[in-house]
Each structure stands twice: as structure tokens, then as C-alpha cells.
């Protein structure tokens, strides 16, 4: 359901961006589509995009059915204020689906820097097989780089899931009942992001310390 699209800029071209920001793909008819960059900023000679398939979606259909190696794509970047802020506060990341992409960019940047800030990563999905980039997050956790908590909202008896269940933002509060002094980066479906913001601010998170990027499909779907 997801394509990983790697774009390479022309020889000698580098693009400056902050971990977590996004770009716009410029379509031939003047329409635009927004996608977060999953690669960290030091990989500035190209970008990695995670594109979920949406039937009838203008660019998704192009990526899954027509785009070939060597084809050109026009983009504009960098955009967005969902990016890593400097500081020493513990960091909590909450991601759902391809909302993991900008979180991946931020975490890879932090890990490259050898940060000493405590890092907590919560990833939510409806079923275990839909946990996005689960193996990558497990590798980070096994290396002692961060605390990783996958959360499944609707496991089936045959899934064999023995991990955390329920809503991903509720799992955060089970582990961190007070978020005072923390910073939160949340990315995923608008409903998840809104629920997390409200719940976290009720549990001590300063309003200015919640950074988010709500992912929603474009309303422009071709017939």
C-alpha cells in the first residue's frame, strides 16, 4: 500500500531543509501534492518520499503505475514548520501510518548527532501488519537509542499480538502520566493528532511544546 520513492536532484544540486519538513510535487496541470521527506537533512542530494496508494489519487496513481526509473518529477521545497527544535527536553514522538516519514527524518538526525535527550517513539496502527517501519524502530530500540512502543488498536485473535493495544496517545499517558517539561512531535491522521494534543495538554504538556503535521489525502481525486 506504500511506495518508497527516491528522487535524486540533478548533479551538483543540494537542497537545504530541516528534519521533518515537506515538499510539494508540482503536477503538469498546476496542481500540487504535499509529501514529507523521510531522509535526514545531511542527505541533501535527494529526497525519500513515502506515498500511500489512493485509488484515483493523481500522484499516487502515477507512482504506482506509470513512473519509471529515470523519469523527472518537479518539486518545491522546503516547506512546513514541523521540524526539530533545539533544546534539552525529553522528546515524545507519536506516529501513525506514513506519518512515520517526517518522524524518521527527525530521529535519524538526532541519532546521527548522538543526542543525549531521552527519546520515546510511539507508533500506532489498526493491526500488527500495518505497523509502519516496525523493523527499523525495533533496531533503534535494540541498539539502546530510544524507547519504542508499538500500539495496535484492533488486533484480531489470529494476529498473535501480545503487545500494547488501544489508542496510541493513551499508551503515551500510561507510560508518562505527566508530560510537563516534554516536547511532543505527532504526525498522522488528523483525528489522532487532535486527540493527542487535547489529552497531552490536559496532562501537563505546555501548548507551545506540541508540534504536529496532520496527514490527510487530497480532496482532488481524478475520476
Amino acid at each position: 500500500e506504500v511506495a518508497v520513492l527516491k528522487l535524486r536532484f540533478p548533479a551538483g544540486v543540494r537542497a537545504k531543509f530541516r528534519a521533518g519538513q515537506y515538499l510539494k510535487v508540482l503536477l503538469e496541470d498546476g496542481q500540487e501534492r504535499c509529501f514529507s521527506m523521510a531522509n535526514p537533512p545531511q542527505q541533501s542530494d535527494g529526497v525519500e518520499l513515502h506515498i500511500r496508494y489512493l485509488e484515483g489519487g493523481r500522484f499516487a496513481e502515477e507512482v504506482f503505475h506509470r513512473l519509471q526509473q529515470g523519469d523527472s518529477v518537479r518539486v518545491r521545497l522546503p516547506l512546513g514548520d514541523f521540524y526539530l527544535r533545539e533544546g534539552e527536553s525529553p522528546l515524545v514522538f507519536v506516529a501513525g501510518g506514513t506519518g512515520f516519514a517526517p518522524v524518521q527524518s527527525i530521529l535519524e538526525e538526532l541519532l546521527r548527532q548522538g543526542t543525549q535527550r531521552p527519546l520515546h517513539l510511539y507508533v500506532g496502527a489498526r493491526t500488527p501488519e500495518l505497523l509502519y517501519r516496525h523493523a527499523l524502530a525495533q533496531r533503534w530500540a535494540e541498539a539502546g537509542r530510544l524507547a519504542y512502543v508499538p500500539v495496535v488498536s484492533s488486533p484480531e485473535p489470529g494476529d498473535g499480538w501480545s503487545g500494547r493495544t488501544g489508542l496510541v496517545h493513551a499508551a503515551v499517558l500510561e507510560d508518562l502520566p505527566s508530560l510537563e517539561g516534554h516536547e511532543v512531535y505527532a504526525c498522522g491522521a488528523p483525528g489522532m493528532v487532535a486527540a493527542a494534543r487535547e489529552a497531552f495538554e490536559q496532562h501537563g504538556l505546555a501548548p507551545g511544546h506540541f508540534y504536529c503535521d496532520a496527514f490527510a489525502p487530497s480532496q482532488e481525486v481524478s475520476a
Side-chain angles (χ1 to χ4, degrees):
E1 295 182 354
V2 176
V4 175
L5 178 63
K6 295 186 178 182
L7 303 178
R8 187 72 61 195
F9 296 130
V13 175
R14 299 273 175 171
K16 292 184 179 180
F17 64 93
R18 294 177 175 179
Q21 287 189 299
Y22 70 93
L23 57 70
K24 286 187 176 181
V25 172
L26 310 179
L27 303 178
E28 292 182 356
D29 61 0
Q31 294 187 42
E32 302 174 336
R33 294 294 184 270
C34 301
F35 298 98
S36 293
M37 294 169 280
N39 53 302
Q42 72 268 19
Q43 297 175 7
S44 59
D45 60 341
V47 291
E48 177 180 310
L49 310 179
H50 298 179
I51 301 172
R52 181 172 298 281
Y53 180 71
L54 175 66
E55 185 175 1
R58 285 289 311 283
F59 191 60
E61 292 279 5
E62 189 77 14
V63 169
F64 276 81
H65 301 305
R66 291 180 289 277
L67 202 63
Q68 300 293 321
Q69 183 173 346
D71 288 350
S72 296
V73 176
R74 295 176 61 237
V75 300
R76 181 161 59 89
L77 75 155
L79 299 163
D81 57 8
F82 184 74
Y83 56 81
L84 178 65
R85 271 71 173 180
E86 295 183 2
E88 299 179 356
S89 303
L91 298 174
V92 178
F93 296 90
V94 183
T98 51
F100 190 92
V103 168
Q104 176 180 321
S105 177
I106 293 173
L107 284 172
E108 289 192 344
E109 175 73 357
L110 284 167
L111 298 176
R112 183 190 68 85
Q113 294 173 351
T115 184
Q116 297 303 305
R117 301 172 74 173
L119 306 176
H120 305 268
L121 171 61
Y122 290 79
V123 177
R126 190 177 73 255
T127 60
E129 64 269 18
L130 294 179
L131 283 168
Y132 196 71
R133 290 281 163 117
H134 181 54
L136 174 61
Q138 282 185 315
R139 289 199 298 272
W140 287 337
E142 290 167 358
R145 313 296 296 279
L146 50 73
Y148 168 51
V149 180
V151 183
V152 175
S153 63
S154 304
E156 298 291 339
D159 290 337
W161 179 252
S162 59
R164 302 283 286 276
T165 60
L167 300 178
V168 65
H169 74 273
V172 174
L173 295 176
E174 290 172 4
D175 298 340
L176 302 168
S178 174
L179 289 169
E180 184 175 358
H182 289 69
E183 293 180 11
V184 173
Y185 291 79
C187 191
M192 181 273 283
V193 170
R197 181 197 293 270
E198 181 179 3
F200 294 168
E201 291 182 357
Q202 291 175 357
H203 287 78
L205 182 70
H209 287 174
F210 185 90
Y211 308 103
C212 65
D213 194 358
F215 277 23
S218 170
Q219 295 180 352
E220 294 284 348
V221 177
S222 59

